[in-house]
Amino acid sequence: MQLNQRIVVLVLMILIPLYGQVKKMGGLKSAKKKNEIVFSNAQDTKDYLMMFEEALSRVSISYVDSVNESELIKAGIKGMMKPLDPYTKFLSGSSKDRLDMLRTGKYGGIGIQISIRRDTLTVLSPFEDSPAYTEGIHSGDQIIMIDSVKTNGMTLKDASSLIKGELGSVVNLTIFRPSKRKKLTFKLTRANITVKHVPYWGVDDAGIGYIRITKFSKNTAKDFSEALKDLSDQDMKGLVIDLRGNSGGLLSNAINILDKLTDRGLNLLKTRGRIKKSNKSMNSRRVPMVDTILPISVLINRSSASASEIVAGVIQDLDRGVIIGTKSFGKGLVQSMYNLNDTTTLKVTTAKYYTPSGRLIQKEDYLDNGFLTDGLDKKDSLFTTRGGRQVKGGGGITPDVEIKQAKLPPYVQGLWKEGIFLTFAADYVPRNGIEAPVIITDKIYADFEKFLKDYKISYKLPGENNLGKLKDALKSQIDFKKQGKASLLSRLIFWKKSRNRFEKMTDKLDRYYEKKRAGQFWEPQNIKWIKNGLQREMSLVVQGNKEKIRVSLFEDDVYKKARDILLDYNRYKDILNPAAHNTATQVLPE
């Protein structure tokens, strides 16, 4: 048999431990259900392992073309994960790199955030103290070559893989700097880049502190502590923790953050799984860093998941703060990591987590069998907070105060989609010596209007899609078949009359939208959002990502509502009052 012995060893390394675990449990004997893997006993497991080895051997020997046996085995493992929940995965390559970056809090690179702007690879922001920052790469710089490879048409994934690399190795970037109208070359030595997932914190004039957390990685709790200490030294009167768009990360960091905000000895979380070590009860262990009467609000949205939901759910269950925003994602599962070798990892769901009230917030079961949600999606399950408020289980965290972020007008969405704000800022700021804090004057606004004359912005005004559907519907009414055996001439006359009627019906609408498009830049509802877009991207170029986040809060309705609640302590306490809360969740106008 020609099967490579190393492949056989790898197969056995991966699958035999699974066989041993099943044997210990006496086999999985639950009834068969849709998408469910069932082995009736350990002997069946052994038979299937032998079947897998035989199948691999046959394909390796007999397939018409040569095959990559390693890739076949990887595909087999990935296939084994498919009937399970979507968070149980086989990770290799870039997916494992992202996990490693989360667990270690660093990676080998030059320290820049990049994106595609108008089909061009563009630097959004260099990280402070990184090789890119030190050597003078700016926000808005356009990367046209990475070493000897042109970036035209390159994907973000491909660009990132070329820029990252071994510590101490060198990468050459050729960039075009719009403000200077010339190419520059940077020779950058890759270094350990520390990931900053607490990108901004600050206190406003009213004493309200704000901390944004974008991910729960190795350094997040440590950076949160630094932020909390800094804000406390500035005598903050309330704290906003922004978890919007935060998809989660390391459970341990979420618990460490809660430990800094809650009384010692309180239960923060329970996890339950099939094996003993998955069953844990996590309590707060330290004296909190801030007074426990300090009012707190946590901002969440549909993209807040996993560890973000743990923080929000625990704060809510302990009546430690007010949750504001929209309902969260609904992931109540915990994953454990098992390294198979240096380049591959298994991420396996090993437990469910329960907040202090006993809630499991997992959304509707992916397997359609009720196992992952404990049936919470099938009924209106209510739980009670520490102070007696009723909260729901299943389907995510429901905010105490529900409010949606204001939606940008279509024209402004088009400007952001095209990357126009940063393109303008990268050119305008250096040439005009703009300094922080950025104020959008009438001159800047007028200059931006002139700048836009060279660009065509793609967007749809309200009703334009319906107009298109109307035109299609009217066209379909011109049916030549209804003319029966009429002559070709009579058919043409009918078509011409119908076409004229059709054009008259839609011509006025077309002129209306043409006029509306011509005035979008000075439309009152657009002006404040255009100015905010300019202020954000010009602040980014002038002073970096922290300043961009700070000014973005000026037109953030959810943040402003949280700030107002924290400044009105009576209102804050009323929201946490069971008598007021148990009737219904508060809903605020958008």
Side-chain angles (χ1 to χ4, degrees), residues 53-69:
E53 185 177 344
E54 177 67 15
L56 180 63
S57 175
R58 291 296 180 187
V59 171
S60 299
I61 295 170
S62 306
Y63 189 68
V64 63
D65 293 320
S66 60
V67 295
N68 185 323
E69 293 165 340

Side-chain angles (χ1 to χ4, degrees), residues 25-42:
M25 295 185 293
L28 303 180
K29 299 182 180 180
S30 56
K32 289 187 178 181
K33 295 184 179 181
K34 182 182 177 183
N35 294 330
E36 189 178 343
I37 294 179
V38 176
F39 295 126
S40 59
N41 54 51

Side-chain angles (χ1 to χ4, degrees), residues 24 61 131 223 238 250 313 319 322 349 361 394 445 509 530 535:
K24 256 193 225 178
I61 295 170
D223 292 343
L250 302 181
D319 296 305
V322 174
T349 296
I361 55 87
Y445 198 76
L509 288 172
I530 294 172
Q535 191 176 30

Side-chain angles (χ1 to χ4, degrees), residues 15-258:
L15 297 178
I16 290 301
L18 296 177
Y19 162 66
Q21 200 170 20
V22 172
K23 185 174 181 180
K24 256 193 225 178
M25 295 185 293
L28 303 180
K29 299 182 180 180
S30 56
K32 289 187 178 181
K33 295 184 179 181
K34 182 182 177 183
N35 294 330
E36 189 178 343
I37 294 179
V38 176
F39 295 126
S40 59
N41 54 51
Q43 184 58 45
D44 282 354
T45 306
K46 185 176 181 181
D47 291 343
Y48 277 107
L49 289 174
M50 293 176 65
M51 187 188 302
F52 180 87
E53 185 177 344
E54 177 67 15
L56 180 63
S57 175
R58 291 296 180 187
V59 171
S60 299
I61 295 170
S62 306
Y63 189 68
V64 63
D65 293 320
S66 60
V67 295
N68 185 323
E69 293 165 340
S70 298
E71 291 302 318
L72 284 180
I73 293 173
K74 287 181 183 179
I77 301 172
K78 289 177 182 177
M80 184 171 66
M81 305 294 111
K82 282 186 178 180
L84 307 176
D85 69 274
Y87 310 113
T88 296
K89 292 182 178 180
F90 174 74
L91 304 178
S92 62
S94 59
S95 59
K96 185 178 185 301
D97 291 341
R98 288 192 295 272
L99 175 64
D100 290 342
M101 185 172 70
L102 196 69
R103 291 195 289 185
T104 63
K106 58 187 178 182
Y107 66 93
I110 60 172
I112 54 173
Q113 184 182 5
I114 57 175
S115 184
I116 303 293
R117 291 289 185 269
R118 299 188 61 81
D119 300 323
T120 302
L121 187 64
T122 304
V123 177
L124 295 184
S125 178
F127 302 155
E128 287 185 17
D129 302 323
S130 67
Y133 182 88
T134 304
E135 293 298 323
I137 287 183
H138 298 168
S139 296
D141 283 348
Q142 299 170 354
I143 303 174
I144 55 180
M145 287 186 72
I146 304 171
D147 289 328
S148 59
V149 182
K150 292 182 179 179
T151 61
N152 186 33
M154 186 179 290
T155 65
L156 277 178
K157 182 179 178 181
D158 290 340
S160 179
S161 64
L162 286 175
I163 293 173
K164 292 178 181 178
E166 294 292 328
L167 299 181
S169 60
V170 173
V171 61
N172 293 291
L173 295 187
T174 303
I175 67 106
F176 176 78
R177 182 159 292 166
S179 61
K180 293 186 177 296
R181 304 287 196 275
K182 67 177 183 180
K183 294 179 183 179
L184 301 170
T185 301
F186 293 87
K187 185 177 181 180
L188 304 164
T189 302
R190 296 181 177 99
N192 256 332
I193 305 300
T194 301
V195 181
K196 295 288 186 181
H197 285 132
V198 185
Y200 172 75
W201 64 83
V203 177
D204 67 13
D205 294 339
I208 298 301
Y210 173 91
I211 303 176
R212 176 170 292 186
I213 305 175
T214 58
K215 201 81 173 175
F216 290 87
S217 62
K218 182 180 179 181
N219 301 316
T220 300
K222 177 173 66 69
D223 292 343
F224 182 84
S225 295
E226 181 185 347
L228 206 56
K229 183 179 184 307
D230 187 23
L231 299 181
S232 297
D233 291 343
Q234 297 181 57
D235 195 28
M236 69 171 167
K237 296 178 175 61
L239 173 63
V240 177
I241 302 172
D242 194 345
L243 300 178
R244 291 174 295 177
N246 185 326
S247 61
L250 302 181
L251 170 62
S252 59
N253 267 251
I255 297 299
N256 286 340
I257 284 173
L258 289 165

Side-chain angles (χ1 to χ4, degrees), residues 570-581:
N570 288 332
R571 185 181 179 191
Y572 173 80
K573 296 301 289 185
D574 283 344
I575 294 171
L576 299 177
N577 181 356
H581 189 86

